[in-house]
C-alpha cells in the first residue's frame, strides 16, 4: 500500500462522472486492462519523446566540437524539470511531476483536447444528461434533439448549446454535468440568481451561467497546462499555465486520491482521480465566480455584463493564490466523506482584491521560478560534467551516488 494517507471513498457523483467519460478516453470500454496499460504507457513515452525532440530542434547549432557541446548544454538547460531530471528530490519534488503523476494526468490531457461533436452519440447523450441534472429527467426525455428555448434558461447564449461548446470542448460539458449532479441544490440556487428577473429568476446577479462555466473550464485547462494547442484565455492577465509549484500541488492531490482508491478498492484506478479532482476544483471555481459577480453587483448597482470580466479576473487571481498553497489531504480528512470537496472550500475565502493576495501570488511565482532555475542548473551542470568526463569520477568518489 502507498504511504500517502488514504482519502475518503469517491462520491457517487464522482463515480458516475468517471463511468460517463470512460468510453471516450484511451480506448473502448471492453478492452482489457493490459491493453489500457500499454496504451497509456505508449502515450506517456510519446509525450516525453516529443518534448525531447522539440528541445533538440530548438537547441542552437554550431560548428565543430565546441558547437555540439554548447548545443547539448543548451538542451539540458531548456528541458523543463520532469520525472527523469537529474536534480535532487529536494528541488525536483516541488516543481516536477513524477512518472506516476504524469500517467494519471494523461486521460485528462486527452479529454481536454477533444472538441464537442454533435454527430457523436456519446457527446449528445452527455448533453442530455446535463439537462436532466439541471432541470429534470422527465424534461430531458421530452427534449427535442435540436434547438430548444429552455437551453437559454440554463445560461447558454442561444437555443442550441452545441455552439457554446465549440470553445470549451467535451471537457467543459463534463465539468458542467459534474457540477449539476454533485451539487444540485447550489446549482439550482445559482441558476435562479443568475436568471433575468422573471417569475423563474430573482435577477440578483444576472449573467449567462452556462457560458460562464465554460469560461471557467477553459481557465482551468490553461492554468494546469492541459491544452496541447494554443487557446484564448478568458482573462488576459492570467498566467498560462500557472507556476510549476501550483501545478505540482494539484498533481499531489490527484496522486493521493489514486492511492486511496487503490487501498479502498484493491484495484488500480488510474484514470478517474484526475477527473474527480478537476470536477471539484471546477465546482469551487464556479461558486467563487458567482460570489465575485454578486459582490461586484453590490458595489456597482448599475453593473452590466460588460463588467463580468472583472469577476473572471478576480476568480483567476483567487485560483492562483489557492493552488499555490494547496496541500494534499491528511489522515484527518480521510475520516470525512466529503474530504475532497472540503479540500477546495478555502478558495471561497480568498480575497482577490486584497494587496496581500497579489503580493503572495508574485512571491509564489518567484519561488517557483527559482526552483525551476535550480533544477535546470543541475541538469546543465550534470551535462557539463558528463562532457568533460567528470561524471564517472564523481560517481566513483561518492560511491555510486547519483547527482
Amino acid at each position: 500500500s502507498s504511504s500517502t494517507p488514504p482519502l475518503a471513498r469517491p462520491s457517487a457523483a464522482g463515480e458516475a462522472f468517471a463511468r460517463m467519460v470512460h468510453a471516450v478516453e484511451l480506448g473502448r470500454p471492453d478492452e482489457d486492462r493490459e491493453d489500457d496499460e500499454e496504451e497509456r504507457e505508449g502515450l506517456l513515452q510519446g509525450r516525453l519523446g516529443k518534448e525531447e525532440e522539440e528541445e533538440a530542434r530548438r537547441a542552437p547549432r554550431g560548428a565543430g566540437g565546441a558547437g555540439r557541446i554548447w548545443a547539448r548544454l543548451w538542451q539540458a538547460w531548456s528541458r523543463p524539470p520532469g520525472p527523469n531530471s537529474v536534480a535532487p528530490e529536494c528541488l525536483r519534488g516541488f516543481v516536477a511531476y513524477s512518472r506516476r503523476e504524469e500517467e494519471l494526468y494523461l486521460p485528462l490531457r486527452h479529454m481536454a483536447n477533444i472538441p464537442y461533436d454533435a454527430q457523436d452519440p456519446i457527446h449528445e447523450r452527455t448533453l442530455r444528461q446535463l439537462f436532466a441534472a439541471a432541470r429534470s429527467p422527465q424534461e430531458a426525455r421530452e427534449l427535442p434533439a435540436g434547438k430548444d428555448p429552455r437551453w437559454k434558461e440554463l445560461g447558454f447564449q442561444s437555443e442550441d448549446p452545441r455552439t457554446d461548446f465549440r470553445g470549451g470542448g467535451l471537457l467543459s460539458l463534463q465539468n458542467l454535468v459534474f457540477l449539476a449532479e454533485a451539487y444540485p441544490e447550489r446549482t439550482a440556487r445559482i441558476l435562479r440568481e443568475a436568471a433575468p428577473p422573471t417569475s423563474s429568476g430573482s435577477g440578483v446577479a444576472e449573467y449567462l451561467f452556462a457560458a460562464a462555466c465554460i469560461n471557467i473550464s477553459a481557465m482551468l485547462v490553461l492554468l494546469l497546462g492541459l491544452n496541447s494547442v494554443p487557446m484564448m484565455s478568458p482573462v488576459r492577465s492570467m498566467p498560462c499555465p500557472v507556476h510549476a509549484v501550483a501545478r505540482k500541488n494539484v498533481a499531489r492531490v490527484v496522486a493521493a486520491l489514486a492511492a486511496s482508491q487503490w487501498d479502498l478498492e484493491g484495484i488500480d484506478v488510474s484514470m478517474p482521480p484526475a477527473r474527480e479532482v478537476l470536477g471539484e476544483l471546477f465546482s469551487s471555481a464556479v461558486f467563487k465566480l458567482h460570489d465575485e459577480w454578486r459582490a461586484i453587483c453590490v458595489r456597482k448597482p448599475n453593473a452590466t455584463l460588460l463588467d463580468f470580466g472583472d469577476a473572471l479576473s478576480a476568480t483567476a487571481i483567487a485560483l492562483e493564490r489557492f493552488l499555490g498553497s494547496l496541500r494534499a489531504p491528511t489522515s484527518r480528512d480521510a475520516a470525512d466523506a466529503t474530504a475532497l470537496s472540503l479540500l477546495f472550500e478555502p478558495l471561497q475565502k480568498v480575497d482577490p482584491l486584497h494587496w496581500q493576495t497579489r503580493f503572495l501570488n508574485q512571491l509564489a511565482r518567484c519561488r517557483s521560478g527559482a526552483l525551476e532555475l535550480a533544477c535546470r542548473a543541475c541538469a546543465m551542470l550534470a551535462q557539463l560534467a558528463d562532457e568533460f568526463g567528470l561524471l564517472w569520477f564523481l560517481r566513483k568518489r561518492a560511491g555510486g551516488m547519483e547527482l
Side-chain angles (χ1 to χ4, degrees), residues 72-132:
R72 288 191 291 269
L73 290 175
W74 174 261
Q75 183 177 350
W77 170 265
S78 60
R79 181 181 299 118
N84 299 323
S85 173
V86 298
E89 178 63 25
C90 61
L91 296 175
R92 186 179 70 247
F94 287 102
V95 295
Y97 296 151
S98 66
R99 183 167 291 273
R100 174 60 172 162
E101 291 165 350
E102 282 275 12
E103 182 183 346
L104 290 169
Y105 259 37
L106 274 178
L108 202 57
R109 295 183 190 278
H110 177 73
M111 191 64 60
N113 295 282
I114 297 179
Y116 184 87
D117 185 2
Q119 305 303 319
D120 192 317
I122 296 178
H123 296 196
E124 286 292 294
R125 188 162 58 248
T126 306
L127 185 61
R128 193 171 292 268
Q129 185 177 355
L130 169 63
F131 193 89

Side-chain angles (χ1 to χ4, degrees), residues 127 232 252 281 322 330 365:
L127 185 61
M232 182 176 294
R252 284 198 182 103
L281 179 58
F322 171 73
T330 63
R365 292 180 190 181

Side-chain angles (χ1 to χ4, degrees), residues 272-284:
R275 295 196 305 271
E276 182 83 6
V277 170
L278 182 66
E280 292 291 353
L281 179 58
F282 169 81
S283 301
S284 295

Side-chain angles (χ1 to χ4, degrees), residues 221-234:
V221 167
L222 289 168
L223 282 172
L224 298 179
L226 301 176
N227 55 306
S228 61
V229 296
M231 293 175 56
M232 182 176 294
S233 173

Side-chain angles (χ1 to χ4, degrees), residues 77-353:
W77 170 265
S78 60
R79 181 181 299 118
N84 299 323
S85 173
V86 298
E89 178 63 25
C90 61
L91 296 175
R92 186 179 70 247
F94 287 102
V95 295
Y97 296 151
S98 66
R99 183 167 291 273
R100 174 60 172 162
E101 291 165 350
E102 282 275 12
E103 182 183 346
L104 290 169
Y105 259 37
L106 274 178
L108 202 57
R109 295 183 190 278
H110 177 73
M111 191 64 60
N113 295 282
I114 297 179
Y116 184 87
D117 185 2
Q119 305 303 319
D120 192 317
I122 296 178
H123 296 196
E124 286 292 294
R125 188 162 58 248
T126 306
L127 185 61
R128 193 171 292 268
Q129 185 177 355
L130 169 63
F131 193 89
R135 302 279 294 207
S136 70
Q138 177 65 28
E139 285 189 80
R141 285 190 291 269
E142 301 170 353
L143 184 70
K147 299 180 180 180
D148 191 273
R150 287 172 291 182
W151 286 114
K152 295 188 69 174
E153 296 177 9
L154 297 182
F156 289 97
Q157 298 180 73
S158 69
E159 296 181 359
D160 186 1
R162 297 160 187 82
T163 58
D164 287 42
F165 289 115
R166 286 182 300 189
L170 182 62
L171 185 61
S172 60
L173 172 58
Q174 291 170 350
N175 284 336
L176 268 166
V177 172
F178 183 94
L179 171 67
E181 290 186 342
Y183 302 96
E185 295 180 1
R186 295 182 72 172
T187 301
R189 177 180 60 82
I190 292 176
L191 278 170
R192 287 193 302 269
E193 295 179 357
T198 62
S199 57
S200 60
S202 63
V204 173
E206 181 182 351
Y207 65 99
L208 298 176
F209 171 73
C213 289
I214 293 174
N215 277 325
I216 289 293
S217 185
M219 185 185 298
L220 292 177
V221 167
L222 289 168
L223 282 172
L224 298 179
L226 301 176
N227 55 306
S228 61
V229 296
M231 293 175 56
M232 182 176 294
S233 173
V235 179
R236 182 173 300 179
S237 60
M238 185 181 74
C240 301
V242 72
H243 58 82
V245 170
R247 285 178 279 137
K248 175 66 174 182
N249 290 343
V250 178
R252 284 198 182 103
V253 176
V254 173
L257 180 57
S260 174
Q261 290 179 346
W262 176 284
D263 293 338
L264 290 172
E265 302 293 341
I267 58 174
D268 182 12
V269 184
S270 56
M271 289 191 290
R275 295 196 305 271
E276 182 83 6
V277 170
L278 182 66
E280 292 291 353
L281 179 58
F282 169 81
S283 301
S284 295
V286 169
F287 301 150
K288 181 63 174 176
L289 174 65
H290 184 74
D291 291 343
E292 290 299 323
W293 177 237
R294 287 197 60 175
I296 289 175
C297 291
V298 171
R299 295 194 302 267
K300 188 178 180 181
N302 297 326
T304 66
L305 288 180
L306 296 176
D307 300 299
F308 195 75
D310 294 339
L312 284 171
S313 179
T315 303
I317 293 172
L319 275 170
E320 182 179 359
R321 174 72 188 103
F322 171 73
L323 295 178
S325 59
L326 182 64
R327 294 292 179 268
T330 63
S331 56
R332 179 178 299 179
D333 295 327
D336 196 327
T338 59
L340 195 58
S341 61
L342 291 176
L343 184 66
F344 297 101
E345 193 64 29
L347 173 61
Q348 313 307 319
K349 300 178 182 179
V350 178
D351 183 4
L353 300 181

